[in-house]
Amino acid sequence: MDTKENILINKLAVVDEFAKEANLTKQLRHRLRHALRYSTDKKGISWVDKQSIFNELPKHLRYQMALAMHQGAVRHISFFANRDPLAIASIVPFLQPMFVQHNDFVYKKDEHADEIYFIVKGKVDYRTSLSSSPFKTIYKSNYFGDIEAILGIPRKYFARAARNLELMNMTKVIIEKIKDEFPTIWDEMKNIALEREETFDRILMELEEIQAFQEKDGFPDWKVIKEKVEKKIVVKKQKEQKRRLTAAMNRKSEVSFKDLFEKVREIQSYTVKLSKEIKSIKKDRSKYPRSSSVQSPLQKRSSSKQYSTTEKESEVDYLDVFSPKVYS
């Protein structure tokens, strides 16, 4: 019996024990077992193990292995078409297979968004509520869930399996990897997410306007509907631009304050160092008094007193202004 089967048996035993303790229904227990079987069969070794192995391989072998993984599913995903081999080798091996049964939700509205899903088989519907009709369907070879995951916002819609779904799941770790290491791909994904968001908003606004006409027992006037929707889109864009500008200004303000604080600390450190150097110079001068041929004793005392007073005031000014008490 191989290692994978042993792992599966142990997992199923844990599920069975949990099902008994939690008094789960037979149907739910069956679904849990099915999900575990699918996960164990598809995933194989862990993400850490994969990363360690792939880092040791030459680039061309990484690419070839990436194309062969997940039963070659990447060859049929539009996102990876004509993509740089390095990007494919860096992303595909770490996608996680996932199975969702027909009518189950991949995610629900307002949930935290940190994953993007590529459809290997099946299709998924977007809905605005649990009971509403779908307003958009995403088919095989495409991906979804990108709007919220990329823009950093909670889920805006419900995503429900319109039939049994086989997915490849891109986690937050891989999304951040793309952002850091493949900025061109990241910009492309972000632009697509923004376009999709606007498209979905437009669809939902049109549906609202159509419903408003129907409630008044009137026939939808598409020209009027289009005009109203365009106005709403413009207003929404203006609000979004204002929000982003405010956020950018706040980030800039925070950075500026941090830089200012660091500069103050730097000056404070320099001042303390300068003060020590001045004291050291004074100590050295006391060992070697000036010659009387250069100054008279009266001039010497007057000059020394004036210098000491000025120097002391200078030290006090520096230490008072940049004292840690002021900025603590």
Side-chain angles (χ1 to χ4, degrees):
M1 187 177 295
D2 60 24
T3 305
K4 186 181 289 188
E5 289 182 1
N6 285 328
I7 293 173
L8 176 59
I9 290 173
N10 291 333
K11 287 182 178 180
L12 292 176
V14 172
V15 168
D16 290 340
E17 184 177 350
F18 173 75
K20 290 178 181 178
E21 292 180 359
N23 197 26
L24 299 181
T25 63
K26 186 177 180 180
Q27 182 182 6
L28 182 55
R29 178 181 171 182
H30 174 74
R31 288 172 63 184
L32 285 172
R33 290 175 65 89
H34 178 76
L36 273 178
R37 288 181 184 278
Y38 182 86
S39 175
T40 303
D41 181 58
K42 297 290 184 179
K43 284 185 180 179
I45 59 178
S46 68
W47 190 91
V48 176
D49 292 334
K50 286 180 181 178
Q51 188 177 36
S52 176
I53 293 171
F54 269 80
N55 286 341
E56 296 179 8
L57 295 176
K59 289 183 179 179
H60 70 281
L61 286 181
R62 293 186 211 171
Y63 175 63
Q64 293 299 324
M65 286 189 66
L67 291 179
M69 294 182 72
H70 308 294
Q71 288 76 48
V74 65
R75 299 177 186 272
H76 308 290
I77 302 295
S78 58
F79 176 84
F80 296 104
N82 302 317
R83 192 70 74 188
D84 178 22
L86 178 60
I88 292 177
S90 300
I91 297 170
V92 174
F94 309 110
L95 299 177
Q96 300 294 322
M98 178 178 175
F99 179 83
V100 182
Q101 286 191 334
H102 181 211
N103 285 332
D104 282 353
F105 288 95
V106 181
Y107 56 77
K108 296 182 180 180
K109 187 176 179 179
D110 295 326
E111 288 182 351
H112 178 67
D114 58 359
E115 296 172 327
I116 297 174
Y117 305 91
F118 297 86
I119 303 178
V120 178
K121 290 183 181 179
K123 60 181 180 179
V124 66
D125 288 335
Y126 273 120
R127 302 166 184 260
T128 55
S129 68
L130 290 172
S131 58
S132 65
S133 299
F135 69 88
K136 182 69 177 179
T137 301
I138 310 296
Y139 295 92
K140 175 183 175 180
S141 85
N142 294 300
Y143 65 93
F144 65 97
D146 55 315
I147 295 175
E148 304 91 344
I150 290 176
L151 301 183
I153 57 177
R155 296 295 185 189
K156 298 181 66 174
Y157 322 104
F158 292 83
R160 189 173 185 176
R163 61 180 61 171
N164 286 346
L165 275 176
E166 288 189 21
L167 306 171
M168 290 193 298
N169 177 13
M170 178 184 285
T171 63
K172 186 68 174 178
V173 174
I174 306 304
I175 295 173
E176 290 298 323
K177 183 181 179 69
I178 293 173
K179 184 177 180 181
D180 295 337
E181 299 181 15
F182 302 98
T184 303
I185 298 178
W186 171 254
D187 289 340
E188 175 190 320
M189 293 175 68
K190 188 172 183 180
N191 290 333
I192 291 175
L194 290 170
E195 290 173 5
R196 283 181 174 176
E197 183 184 37
E198 182 176 331
T199 299
F200 290 178
D201 286 344
R202 194 183 300 275
I203 292 172
L204 292 174
M205 290 175 186
E206 288 178 356
L207 291 174
E208 287 178 3
E209 293 298 330
I210 291 172
Q211 186 177 358
F213 270 100
Q214 291 175 343
E215 289 176 354
K216 295 178 181 179
D217 297 326
F219 187 78
D221 187 331
W222 284 105
K223 184 177 180 180
V224 174
I225 289 175
K226 293 291 184 183
E227 289 176 355
K228 286 185 176 181
V229 169
E230 287 304 321
K231 288 180 181 179
K232 289 182 178 180
I233 292 291
V234 170
V235 171
K236 188 173 185 294
K237 283 184 176 180
Q238 290 174 343
K239 289 182 178 179
E240 181 61 21
Q241 288 176 352
K242 186 177 180 181
R243 184 192 68 78
R244 290 179 183 173
L245 180 61
T246 302
M249 291 178 65
N250 289 338
R251 287 195 298 270
K252 185 177 180 181
S253 175
E254 290 173 4
V255 172
S256 298
F257 179 80
K258 181 179 178 182
D259 289 344
L260 179 62
F261 182 74
E262 291 298 328
K263 286 293 182 184
V264 170
R265 289 179 63 89
E266 183 180 338
I267 294 172
Q268 179 184 348
S269 176
Y270 175 77
T271 304
V272 172
K273 182 179 178 181
L274 182 62
S275 175
K276 291 180 179 179
E277 289 179 356
I278 292 173
K279 290 179 179 179
S280 177
I281 292 172
K282 285 177 62 180
K283 187 176 181 181
D284 291 341
R285 282 186 177 180
S286 65
K287 296 179 180 179
Y288 306 99
R290 295 185 179 183
S291 172
S292 58
S293 62
V294 178
Q295 283 185 318
S296 67
L298 182 60
Q299 289 174 327
K300 184 178 178 181
R301 286 195 300 272
S302 175
S303 176
S304 177
K305 183 177 180 181
Q306 183 178 358
Y307 177 83
S308 299
T309 304
T310 305
E311 184 181 85
K312 186 175 181 181
E313 288 174 353
S314 176
E315 288 183 38
V316 171
D317 290 341
Y318 274 120
L319 295 176
D320 283 347
V321 173
F322 297 104
S323 172
K325 295 179 181 179
V326 178
Y327 299 95
S328 59

